[in-house]
Amino acid sequence: MNTEVEARTWPKFCVTAGFAGLCPVAPGTCGTLVGVVLAMLVTRYTEVPRTQAMALLSLALLFSGVTVLYGDWAERAFGRKDPPQVVSDEVAGFLVAVLWVPQVAPEMEWLKVGTAFLLFRAFDILKPPPLKRLQAIGGGLGILADDLAAGLLANGCLQLVLRQFAVYQGL
């Protein structure tokens, strides 16, 4: 890490999602947990599905914007392409994973969010085709693209699981 990282505290705070990305073990998972907390807060304090969706979308756009805006800086500052400390992309990707997902009973919310977490991390880590190719874009957009795609894949799987569960339960 070079002195540019130390000199620019605000961009560092933003791309590391409140310094969660500086966790020495599994920074991507720590960043995703920031997304989990945000999603749980949104669902806890908003009851209207449209309001929840708008809040989640707004947060996903905010973290996406941060990643694109400061991604090039982060690659220079941390001295590598798609540095592991940058986790604003994980936050954005996870928020996409839970966006517009069917509502569940309040006591089932943790199960829904936990399943979204596992699906998102699996797609983000394994990077099935074509996710891996998206990193080749480079810069902030390249840092972000594969995580948004992992979020979309996780969202699709979660939609299927929840809708099948609702049919099975006769809901």
Side-chain angles (χ1 to χ4, degrees), residues 3-92:
T3 56
E4 185 181 357
V5 174
E6 301 306 321
R8 307 259 336 253
T9 304
W10 178 249
K12 182 179 175 184
F13 177 80
C14 292
V15 299
T16 62
F19 304 119
L22 300 180
C23 180
V25 178
T29 299
C30 290
T32 304
L33 289 173
V34 171
V36 168
V37 169
L38 290 171
M40 291 302 293
L41 287 171
V42 165
T43 57
R44 170 95 166 106
Y45 293 106
T46 57
E47 294 181 16
V48 179
R50 185 174 295 161
T51 305
Q52 286 180 3
M54 290 309 296
L56 292 170
L57 180 60
S58 296
L59 287 167
L61 290 172
L62 173 70
F63 281 93
S64 294
V66 161
T67 306
V68 172
L69 180 66
Y70 293 128
D72 291 335
W73 169 83
E75 287 187 334
R76 288 190 314 278
F78 290 108
R80 63 181 287 189
K81 186 176 176 6
D82 197 358
Q85 297 91 338
V86 176
V87 295
S88 52
D89 55 331
E90 269 83 12
V91 177

Side-chain angles (χ1 to χ4, degrees), residues 88-164:
S88 52
D89 55 331
E90 269 83 12
V91 177
F94 178 78
L95 292 169
V96 166
V98 294
L99 185 62
W100 293 303
V101 172
Q103 291 204 289
V104 295
E107 63 273 9
M108 299 293 289
E109 191 65 31
W110 276 104
L111 183 59
K112 178 178 91 174
V113 171
T115 303
F117 174 82
L118 293 174
L119 287 167
F120 172 73
R121 289 306 295 149
F123 287 126
D124 188 33
I125 291 167
L126 297 174
K127 298 199 187 324
L131 271 62
K132 190 151 188 90
R133 288 190 308 192
L134 293 173
Q135 288 183 308
I137 296 170
L141 189 57
I143 292 171
L144 177 65
D146 67 305
D147 292 280
L148 290 182
L152 287 170
L153 286 173
N155 184 291
C157 290
L158 190 58
Q159 295 270 358
L160 289 172
V161 166
L162 289 174
R163 291 173 196 284
Q164 288 294 48

